[in-house]
Amino acid sequence: MIETIQWTDDGVVMIDQTRLPNEEIFITCRTSDEVAHAIRTMVIRGAPAIGVAAAMGIALGMQQPDADIESICDTLSKTRPTAVNLFWAIDRMKKLHRSLAGRSAADMRAALAAEAQQIRLEDIAINRAIGQHGASLVPDHKTVLTHCNAGALATAGYGTALGVIRAAVEQGKQIDVFADETRPFLQGSRLTVWELLHDNIPTTLITDNMAGHFLKSGRIGCVVVGADRIAANGDVANKIGTYSVAVLAKENGVPFYVAAPTSTLDLTLASGDSIPIEERASLEVTHYSGTSVAPRGTVARHPAFDVTPNRYVTAIVTEKGIARAPYEQSLAGMLG
Ligand code: MRU
């Protein structure tokens, strides 16, 4: 199994996802600021993995004498705005810290470290449960299309969307995967293909603009993607380009499934209109790996996520089961 992130005696160890697939390098963060930097620079990315990293960053920062949890959490909360799992993890760690008032510093440090490791273990178990629920939706002898990387690398292990695919394969379904390359950061080609080849799951890389062509062809049995934040009405924020895939899926009668833990639900937001969308550097669009792919001086935009309206979402798979429209009721029931 790929170890995305681990708590060790030396610090928080992560595989550097900016170096994949060419180099498998692990980095060790020894301070909460180093964890924040790793999240900001995409060394670790993917909503659930960001949540686990934040929890470990808080636990790590609090090992220092005179550490201030508010300032640690403030720095971590400003790393990336869209994935709600970041804020979910920060809230959970803060709540635990409050409940430890009056206990010795040593007890508090041990409890925060244990909680962060527990969040990591829970995430893997949650992904396995999502996989079990979602596998029933995957048609046999068909191709599954996915966008971005919602795999082991985007979580503590196993993955959400790729967890559904892994579970379907474990159940003996004869499926293969089409992975969108996912411009501009190439999470699909660099990470999803790397992960699935590692597991010997037959995978074909396509560029993002090929998705419509293949969705029309009849070979795609379903689309499965992850999510960064899901509003109360079932609108889904996920990697830029997801919305286009969802519209094309509906146009061609292909089911579009979202796989995410309940920690990705943000029922405080009535719709996806108020989900904050991260705008990343335009350099990530005009350049790849230091090489320019556009004329010097090109103006480029880089929203890192888009919001897919609920009408394009056939079902949302969480660890609690499968939610369908009307999502206001079904999603509220998942947290109830
Ligand atoms: O910018 P990223 O790579 O963090 O974006 C990741 C995604 O959009 C994933 O699809 C999402 O976080 C779900 S990961 C299980």
Side-chain angles (χ1 to χ4, degrees):
M1 191 172 101
I2 302 156
E3 292 293 1
T4 309
I5 179 163
Q6 278 179 296
W7 178 270
T8 73
D9 290 344
D10 291 335
V12 178
V13 176
M14 318 170 176
I15 189 163
D16 184 345
Q17 300 193 30
T18 65
R19 311 286 283 271
L20 288 170
N22 298 324
E23 292 169 295
E24 292 179 30
I25 289 175
F26 289 82
I27 64 143
T28 305
C29 297
R30 294 189 171 82
T31 66
S32 59
D33 280 348
E34 285 178 9
V35 173
H37 185 256
I39 297 172
R40 204 177 298 113
T41 56
M42 312 273 281
V43 164
I44 188 155
R45 32 64 54 199
I50 290 171
V52 175
M56 290 192 177
I58 294 166
L60 192 59
M62 292 302 289
Q63 303 302 308
Q64 298 306 315
D66 302 328
D68 171 19
I69 191 157
E70 289 304 328
S71 114
I72 291 170
C73 291
D74 189 54
T75 302
L76 284 162
S77 70
K78 288 180 179 142
T79 50
R80 299 195 70 194
T82 305
V84 76
N85 308 63
L86 173 75
F87 306 97
W88 171 89
I90 291 173
D91 279 355
R92 179 162 159 177
M93 295 297 282
K94 272 186 171 177
K95 266 192 200 119
L96 174 69
H97 183 255
R98 275 196 299 275
S99 77
L100 296 168
R103 302 266 288 277
S104 72
D107 277 4
M108 183 271 295
R109 286 181 193 136
L112 289 173
E115 185 76 352
Q117 291 173 78
Q118 178 63 19
I119 290 175
R120 175 182 168 277
L121 290 177
E122 280 174 19
D123 187 61
I124 299 170
I126 284 168
N127 293 333
R128 290 209 171 259
I130 291 172
Q132 286 309 309
H133 293 300
S136 64
L137 300 171
V138 176
D140 208 354
H141 302 288
K142 283 280 195 182
T143 299
V144 180
L145 178 77
T146 190
H147 189 74
C148 194
N149 171 266
L153 290 166
T155 62
Y158 201 68
T160 57
L162 298 195
V164 168
I165 290 167
R166 287 193 164 98
V169 170
E170 282 161 21
Q171 288 178 10
K173 287 192 175 170
Q174 302 291 313
I175 56 168
D176 71 313
V177 177
F178 269 29
D180 281 351
E181 75 172 346
T182 317
R183 274 276 289 155
F185 218 75
L186 305 183
Q187 288 95 332
S189 56
R190 293 189 305 104
L191 308 177
T192 295
V193 175
W194 180 80
E195 250 196 74
L196 293 176
L197 292 186
H198 198 271
D199 278 11
N200 293 317
I201 296 176
T203 303
T204 303
L205 173 65
I206 61 170
T207 61
D208 301 333
N209 50 1
M210 296 174 189
H213 171 76
F214 286 111
L215 282 161
K216 188 147 74 66
S217 73
R219 73 171 288 168
I220 312 284
C222 68
V223 177
V224 188
V225 298
D228 288 83
R229 197 185 289 231
I230 301 173
N233 70 345
D235 290 352
V236 174
N238 190 48
K239 180 51 55 194
I240 192 74
T242 303
Y243 174 34
S244 322
V245 176
V247 174
L248 288 164
K250 186 161 182 156
E251 163 73 11
N252 291 287
V254 176
F256 179 88
Y257 299 121
V258 174
T262 50
S263 54
T264 303
L265 301 179
D266 184 354
L267 303 190
T268 68
L269 302 182
S271 82
D273 295 344
S274 35
I275 296 177
I277 300 295
E278 176 182 11
E279 182 87 27
R280 292 189 64 85
S282 58
L283 203 74
E284 290 176 353
V285 175
T286 57
H287 288 67
Y288 183 71
S289 198
T291 302
S292 165
V293 292
R296 189 191 297 265
T298 297
V299 175
R301 286 288 305 275
H302 186 187
F305 301 94
D306 59 27
V307 175
T308 299
N310 59 14
R311 63 182 177 280
Y312 296 106
V313 179
T314 312
I316 298 174
V317 186
T318 78
E319 73 277 18
K320 303 266 177 73
I322 300 172
R324 290 182 190 269
Y327 288 110
E328 276 87 356
Q329 283 94 318
S330 57
L331 293 180
M334 298 248 160
L335 287 186

